Amino acid sequence: MRRRDARVQEPGTLGAHGAARHGEARSTPRHMNAPKGLPLWLKITSVSVSVLLVAGIAFAAYWVIRLQSNISKAPLTAGATRTEAAANDATDRLQILILGSDTRDGKNSQYGSAQDSAGYGQSDVMMLLDISADNKRVSLTSFPRDLLVNVPKCTDPKTNTVYEAHNNVMINSAMAEAGIGCAVDTVNKLTGLEIDHFMMADFNAVKELSKAVGGVDVCVSDAVFDPDSGLRLPKGTSKVEGEQALAFLRTRHGFGDGSDLGRIQAQQGFLSSLTRKVKADGTLSNPQSLLSIADVVTKNLTVDDGLASVQSLLTIGTRLKDIDLSKVAFVSVPTQPAAVDINRLELVQPQATQLFSAMRANLDLTNPGATAAPSPSASPAPTTAPSSGAAAPAPSSPAAPAYNKALQAVTVADGSGVASRGQELTAALIGGGFTKAGHFLAASASKTVVYYGTGYADVAPDVANLLGIPAAQIEPSPGIVGVQVYVGTDFTTGTKFGMVSVPADVVKQTAGDVKCQTVNPYLITQ
């Protein structure tokens, strides 16, 4: 006989005591219950977030692939050696050469003949975009297509053909033989800079970009019709896009005196207006608008290898979104009709050299007269004995010299390698009273030295002080008659050694200025 408490239970049942005590009728132990399902709202939210995340990734991937496939690229240089490390596109100062190609192939065939589409073409527009590291200053410096320059030796990256250097040729021809990299090398040689990137756009890019932003406002002084470009506008302000925007930028004779300088002013006015519109519309802060513009631009753009990524292009675009319009400077390289051909242009000295020095020193070009102080080692110092051990020249004094400046033999030996440099410093010496000063070209030298001959120990310090040359760089030289200022590559700008300043009148307008273009009188219509 079994005890009552030990009776056997059927599998899957509860004992009578268990059911009575807990008031439950269960088929399995409590710890074996399946968990309850998630709330419906949480399920819906989880699914929605997952869908949105996948859609977002797919959308981003689509645009990255699309934009990346749009981009064409080419080498940054055509054989020139670089001395600077690659710039950080997000944080460093950036210098980007912007080119407009005049090739007539593909979508641009309607603007010329088959002959015009051969080879690399020429640069119809050339501007150097300079963005400061803190994103507070931007300058666009225009180089006229008719400017005569020296093009260095370049190598065609496609054929490896080497093209020898060309002297005194138009700057727009720099890329015709060896490609865009040769144009970059030419501007580097001309300015002493090392450009970080380039962007080259064609005619179609202008048309599509102007449409993408909804048109650009331009102003003309009179009604104008240019049969060559097709530009036709009434007097006053008009909104241009597509073909009329391209005609406004292309016209060679529509503005000013009908020269390339008038066209440059019109191009700067157009870009100034475009900058104001993009900023007012918040385009650079609107992802949808930014993607639309990026899609249009990249379809008609060639960039260097370092810039051939969507991220790099978007990074540069976002750096410009908060810029003060008054600090977006449109600059023109100082030029004048060339002595060898009045239909071409040459640099005006010393203003051009001063501008390039100011650019190398990263000065604010919207602040004329701004200077970069010389380093302490370049500052005039108390007179010391020359390294040769000869007696030191007498220190200069504010009192009148014991000699007549107008009778002293002073020459400038120009070893700077900069055109007209000797002439510039000779003018400064004559202005300082040394009216017999002259100049001549000399072999290149790295250091500027003031040499003096027998009997001129008292004159040399005054000549040096006039030009701001340190007394430590004054040396006796018995073979010299009078005083000779041997100018080296350390003194390529200004009339004060070590000083760099922004020349006046290089900034023609800022993005905050609204200007009307003066129409060429020959193209004014009623």
Side-chain angles (χ1 to χ4, degrees):
M1 295 184 65
R2 296 178 179 176
R3 298 176 56 186
R4 292 173 62 183
D5 291 338
R7 59 182 178 270
V8 177
Q9 298 176 191
E10 292 296 328
T13 65
L14 288 173
H17 294 293
R21 181 166 61 249
H22 299 294
E24 299 176 359
R26 298 165 51 138
S27 60
T28 57
R30 169 178 263 184
H31 67 276
M32 295 294 290
N33 283 349
K36 294 182 179 180
L38 294 173
L40 181 60
W41 68 268
L42 186 55
K43 289 182 178 179
I44 295 174
T45 302
S46 299
V47 171
S48 300
V49 169
S50 298
V51 170
L52 289 174
L53 182 60
V54 172
I57 293 174
F59 178 80
Y62 165 78
W63 274 105
V64 168
I65 294 172
R66 174 170 172 166
L67 294 178
Q68 193 69 51
S69 64
N70 287 345
I71 299 173
S72 298
K73 60 183 181 179
L76 178 60
T77 74
T81 302
R82 293 185 61 84
T83 61
E84 298 177 2
N88 184 316
D89 294 335
T91 59
D92 288 345
R93 178 190 181 192
L94 279 185
Q95 293 164 324
I96 305 172
L97 188 63
I98 298 176
L99 301 160
S101 170
D102 69 353
T103 55
R104 271 72 169 180
D105 58 349
K107 297 177 181 178
N108 303 300
S109 58
Q110 62 180 299
Y111 304 108
S113 63
Q115 183 178 357
D116 296 324
S117 65
Y120 291 104
Q122 300 182 106
S123 52
D124 206 39
V125 176
M126 184 179 285
M127 293 182 176
L128 181 58
L129 172 66
D130 193 341
I131 307 172
S132 65
D134 59 7
N135 301 331
K136 292 183 178 180
R137 292 182 286 109
V138 172
S139 65
L140 283 110
T141 302
S142 295
F143 298 84
R145 68 197 302 268
D146 296 334
L147 178 64
L148 297 179
V149 298
N150 296 333
V151 175
K153 182 168 71 173
C154 293
T155 301
D156 185 336
K158 293 182 179 179
T159 65
N160 290 324
T161 302
V162 176
Y163 294 93
E164 295 301 322
H166 301 294
N167 292 330
N168 226 27
V169 296
M170 289 169 56
I171 196 170
N172 74 326
S173 67
M175 74 178 197
E177 293 179 332
I180 308 171
C182 194
V184 172
D185 292 346
T186 299
V187 175
N188 284 342
K189 177 179 176 65
L190 182 67
T191 63
L193 298 166
E194 284 197 9
I195 294 170
D196 303 300
H197 298 297
F198 71 76
M199 296 180 180
M200 187 179 74
D202 59 21
F203 294 145
N204 199 58
V206 175
K207 294 192 298 183
E208 297 304 322
L209 177 60
S210 64
K211 293 177 183 177
V213 300
V216 178
D217 289 336
V218 296
C219 180
V220 294
S221 63
D222 298 274
V224 58
F225 173 58
D226 177 14
D228 291 336
S229 67
L231 177 66
R232 185 188 294 275
L233 291 175
K235 178 179 180 179
T237 300
S238 302
K239 187 181 296 293
V240 296
E241 61 179 275
E243 289 291 347
Q244 280 299 289
L246 178 59
F248 186 88
L249 293 171
R250 285 186 64 215
T251 179
R252 285 273 295 172
H253 310 294
F255 304 114
D257 60 0
S259 70
D260 196 43
L261 298 180
R263 185 174 72 152
I264 283 177
Q265 291 179 10
Q267 291 169 349
Q268 292 177 343
F270 180 93
L271 292 175
S272 176
S273 180
L274 175 63
T275 303
R276 291 194 298 273
K277 181 174 179 59
V278 167
K279 187 172 179 64
D281 292 349
T283 301
L284 296 180
S285 300
N286 184 325
Q288 183 176 355
S289 298
L290 194 57
L291 284 174
S292 176
I293 291 176
D295 190 31
V296 167
V297 170
T298 53
K299 287 179 180 177
N300 304 278
L301 191 69
T302 301
V303 299
D304 62 278
D305 297 318
L307 200 56
S309 74
V310 175
Q311 183 58 50
S312 294
L313 294 173
L314 294 180
T315 294
I316 293 171
T318 54
R319 286 185 63 171
L320 302 175
K321 64 185 178 68
D322 296 322
I323 192 72
D324 182 346
L325 293 177
S326 67
K327 290 300 181 181
V328 180
F330 293 91
V331 179
S332 293
V333 174
T335 59
Q336 63 188 8
V340 296
D341 183 350
I342 61 172
N343 295 311
R344 300 291 179 256
L345 298 169
E346 64 184 11
L347 295 176
V348 174
Q349 298 295 356
Q351 292 91 332
T353 300
Q354 291 171 347
L355 170 62
F356 299 148
S357 296
M359 292 168 69
R360 290 195 298 271
N362 198 20
L363 293 179
D364 183 356
L365 300 183
T366 63
N367 185 13
T371 60
S375 62
S377 62
S379 301
T383 302
T384 57
S387 57
S388 63
S396 61
S397 169
Y403 59 85
N404 186 344
K405 287 185 176 181
L407 300 179
Q408 307 309 309
V410 181
T411 56
V412 175
D414 185 5
S416 68
V418 176
S420 304
R421 185 68 180 134
Q423 180 180 350
E424 177 186 2
L425 293 178
T426 298
L429 290 169
I430 292 174
F434 293 97
T435 55
K436 290 186 64 176
H439 64 91
F440 61 91
L441 288 176
S444 179
S446 60
K447 182 180 179 181
T448 298
V449 179
V450 176
Y451 297 104
Y452 63 93
T454 303
Y456 286 85
D458 56 342
V459 180
D462 291 340
V463 170
N465 281 346
L466 179 61
L467 300 177
I469 299 171
Q473 291 171 225
I474 303 174
E475 297 182 11
S477 180
I480 288 178
V481 176
V483 176
Q484 182 185 98
V485 181
Y486 205 116
V487 185
T489 55
D490 58 346
F491 193 12
T492 58
T493 181
T495 56
K496 290 293 183 182
F497 185 84
M499 294 295 291
V500 178
S501 64
V502 177
D505 301 326
V506 293
V507 176
K508 299 307 178 185
Q509 71 177 94
T510 69
D513 300 328
V514 180
K515 289 187 174 182
C516 273
Q517 304 304 317
T518 302
V519 175
N520 179 357
Y522 293 103
L523 297 180
I524 293 177
T525 62
Q526 299 300 321

